[in-house]
Amino acid sequence: MKKFLNSTDDFLRESLQGFGAAHKDIITCHYDPNFITRSKATKKGKVAIISGGGSGHEPMHGGFVGYGMLDSACPGFVFSSPSPDQMIAASEKVEGGAGILFIVKNYSGDIMNFQMASEMITGVSEIILINDDVAVEDSSYTTGRRGVAATVIVEKIVGSLAETGGSLKECKILGDKVNRNSGSMGVAFSSCTVPAAGKPTFELGPDEMEFGVGIHGEPGRRRDKVQSAQEITNELLGAIIEDLKLENNGEILLFVNGMGGTPLTELYLLYDNAKKTLDNKKIKIARSLVGNYCTSLEMQGASLTITKLDQELKKHWDSPVHTAAMRWGL
Amino acid sequence: MSINFLIKSAKEIQIVIEKNAPEIEKLDQEIGDGDHIFNVQRGIKLVIELEPIIKRLSMSKALNQIAMKILSGVGGSSGALFGTLFMTMAKVSNIDDGVDYKKAINMFVDGVEAVKQRGKADVGEKTMMDVLIPVANCLKQGVEKKKDLKDLMREAIKVAEKGMLSTKDLLAIKGRASFLGERSKGHIDPGARSSQLMIRTVCILILNT
């Protein structure tokens, strides 16, 4: 394993310390229990939005704490859910009198820990569950689809509504709507190495790719020989379009997300290929996002996310945001 | 059951888990994301480190301390589920007046029921519940039928092993392996394996006392 680290035990702490120091104008890191808040206190009467999950997906979620997005983020160990004491401490710090909205990705561990936290805090709270990954089958008796890159979109849009005075109920409804209107699917050319494990989570041959990969390096739909970017794009988009039942002339947000080990050059190439396919299908890209936002350590791979847009979603997407990883409109 | 017995069990479990760590890690890498063994090892280490604090406490307070430590120090599904197990065991009435084997079994049975609720998982879904639920049922029936403690421990070891092995051919319905669908078949669930090892270790300790 080759990584920038001193000891695996200090890996997360040192990374958080660096993050806190580099962006001290925007966020403050709190330790034992670990959570990140805005450097300026949440204003009274605003719904406080808290997200969190395992570390290793940076900039998600700490990079999205700040004006127009999250009030707090709780980082767990690498690829492991945070624990209730983190969410409880964060809630106490950022609760502004209008309730707490937890944004949680659909993984058993995250759900259990956030549910325990919501049972243990005194104030009112709601949970938005993100499950945008169309690669895994959904059914009522399984854990269901995973929450992946659409989390970024939900956090941006709901963050905007909360910033402009939306109530807890309104934020919950809007978040569920964005999730329902979003679909994602990813592909990986390489695995990734959890520092504590010291070796890759799975092995991929030099000419192989994992189709429908998750954001923890967990295997996806199937393993296949590497194909051309256009073929990969078409298959990813095909699955998403089918799932979202996208219609001609509909407006969408196209999000090309890097998983940590793929250069922007290739992400823009994917954007180009996706645009060609969507143009052919007369689906209009009204908004775009390209970059490494929901990563899996150093995994080489990318995911495509589509969110169906309407006027309300476009307005909240365009509204000002000032976080470590996303800034515009200010 | 005393606090000393809890600590002794934790130390024994640490040795057994250490010995089987590569196997559990491999199982998790096949159908999970590879972090289960680290969570389990971290949790056991944290419990053992509590020794100087909990050995002076009452049983309910000691179990609550263990629960909070596991909850905050482990994270992930393991933290929430094992935290729930100990938190529920601490709630069984009158445990501070001494715990005989009947009471100890009641504590375990209540704890497993709470874990089942927390994880919303049942037998047949390829999780550690395939070990915990049959063992809880076996112990509960054993107490009702007034079985000899040592015979019951020998039976529990067999039930745990059978439950663990049963996960091999199951389709994962809960937990991270569920995302794999059919590909989850043919692998033993790592959580079932670690739970089975822990149960066997505690049963053997009781058999040797």
Side-chain angles (χ1 to χ4, degrees), chain B:
Chain B
M1 186 173 73
S2 63
I3 290 165
N4 269 335
F5 179 77
L6 287 179
I7 294 164
K8 205 171 143 193
S9 303
K11 287 180 179 168
E12 204 60 41
I13 285 170
Q14 188 177 40
I15 296 167
V16 173
I17 291 292
E18 190 70 47
K19 211 183 287 171
N20 293 278
E23 183 208 327
I24 297 169
E25 191 184 342
K26 189 164 174 286
L27 291 175
D28 198 23
Q29 286 179 345
E30 280 162 350
I31 58 168
D33 61 1
D35 70 345
H36 178 65
I37 185 66
F38 309 113
N39 289 329
V40 170
Q41 285 179 319
R42 188 163 63 238
I44 297 164
K45 187 166 163 270
L46 289 169
V47 172
I48 292 171
E49 282 167 4
L50 279 177
E51 178 174 0
I53 304 168
I54 61 172
K55 70 181 179 192
R56 292 192 302 270
L57 297 177
S58 64
M59 180 61 85
S60 60
K61 283 199 174 125
L63 286 168
N64 262 324
Q65 283 262 349
I66 293 173
M68 290 316 290
K69 193 49 127 182
I70 291 175
L71 209 51
S72 63
V74 175
S77 309
S78 311
L81 294 168
F82 282 100
T84 299
L85 178 75
F86 285 101
M87 212 182 270
T88 311
M89 283 169 74
K91 283 187 201 145
V92 172
S93 52
N94 301 326
I95 59 171
D96 293 339
D97 308 336
V99 177
D100 58 9
Y101 102 83
K102 218 172 125 181
K103 216 184 268 179
I105 285 172
N106 282 340
M107 287 160 73
F108 181 76
V109 169
D110 282 10
V112 170
E113 180 58 33
V115 172
K116 187 177 153 186
Q117 301 291 336
R118 175 67 61 203
K120 298 188 177 67
D122 214 326
V123 170
E125 298 182 332
K126 203 181 184 87
T127 69
M128 67 173 176
M129 300 320 288
D130 287 307
V131 172
L132 295 183
I133 294 173
V135 169
N137 289 341
C138 152
L139 294 176
K140 204 169 145 187
Q141 283 165 14
V143 170
E144 280 160 11
K145 288 179 186 157
K146 296 194 174 60
K147 278 190 188 163
D148 172 69
L149 174 63
K150 296 210 167 174
D151 287 343
L152 191 53
M153 291 300 107
R154 278 186 278 269
E155 202 184 322
I157 290 173
K158 281 188 198 139
V159 170
E161 182 156 344
K162 197 173 152 218
M164 179 270 292
L165 290 173
S166 77
T167 63
K168 185 166 183 178
D169 296 322
L170 287 173
L171 180 70
I173 291 174
K174 289 283 154 62
R176 205 156 271 175
S178 68
F179 302 130
L180 285 174
E182 287 292 327
R183 278 164 72 174
S184 67
K185 280 188 182 171
H187 304 276
I188 287 168
D189 179 68
R193 177 64 168 144
S194 60
S195 313
Q196 176 259 332
L197 285 168
M198 290 186 223
I199 288 167
R200 192 183 69 188
T201 308
V202 176
C203 290
I204 289 173
L205 263 182
I206 296 170
L207 283 172
N208 291 340
T209 46

Side-chain angles (χ1 to χ4, degrees), chain A residues 33-104:
Chain A
N34 296 343
F35 63 101
I36 298 157
T37 59
R38 299 182 185 185
S39 54
K40 291 192 191 91
T42 297
K43 63 184 179 199
K44 289 286 158 224
K46 177 190 173 302
V47 170
I49 306 181
I50 301 177
S51 191
S55 292
H57 306 303
E58 288 72 15
M60 192 167 81
H61 297 273
F64 305 136
V65 174
Y67 181 83
M69 260 177 116
L70 303 177
D71 292 280
S72 180
C74 303
F77 292 105
V78 174
F79 292 172
S80 195
S81 161
S83 53
D85 56 320
Q86 293 173 261
M87 282 76 99
I88 293 166
S91 301
E92 281 165 4
K93 195 86 182 170
V94 300
E95 152 71 356
I100 306 259
L101 183 67
F102 292 111
I103 299 180
V104 184

Side-chain angles (χ1 to χ4, degrees), chain A residues 81-242:
Chain A
S81 161
S83 53
D85 56 320
Q86 293 173 261
M87 282 76 99
I88 293 166
S91 301
E92 281 165 4
K93 195 86 182 170
V94 300
E95 152 71 356
I100 306 259
L101 183 67
F102 292 111
I103 299 180
V104 184
K105 299 187 294 304
N106 190 34
Y107 295 95
S108 326
D110 292 84
I111 294 171
M112 284 185 250
N113 281 284
F114 274 92
Q115 266 170 356
M116 286 181 94
S118 75
E119 287 163 20
M120 288 156 102
I121 61 170
T122 43
V124 283
S125 62
E126 288 277 4
I127 295 177
I128 293 177
L129 265 190
I130 312 294
N131 62 345
D132 55 310
D133 189 354
V134 303
V136 274
E137 250 175 74
D138 193 13
S139 76
S140 56
Y141 61 90
T142 64
T143 306
R145 295 168 20 160
R146 303 174 283 212
V148 288
T151 314
V152 182
I153 317 292
V154 174
E155 290 177 358
K156 169 66 188 82
I157 288 175
V158 177
S160 163
L161 177 62
E163 209 67 68
T164 48
S167 69
L168 181 59
K169 197 176 162 202
E170 287 162 346
C171 289
K172 158 83 175 149
I173 289 169
L174 184 66
D176 286 339
K177 175 178 154 184
V178 178
N179 177 56
R180 221 172 30 246
N181 285 300
S182 299
S184 303
M185 190 154 145
V187 61
F189 292 149
S190 77
S191 182
C192 56
T193 301
V194 175
K199 52 179 187 287
T201 306
F202 61 93
E203 294 291 345
L204 271 177
D207 59 344
E208 283 181 329
M209 62 178 185
E210 185 76 26
F211 227 91
V213 75
I215 56 172
H216 308 91
E218 65 271 52
R221 253 188 199 185
R222 62 161 209 278
R223 192 158 292 188
D224 213 334
K225 294 284 175 215
V226 171
Q227 302 160 358
S228 72
Q230 188 66 62
E231 283 169 311
I232 293 170
T233 308
N234 288 350
E235 184 165 348
L236 295 178
L237 285 179
I240 299 167
I241 289 170
E242 190 192 331

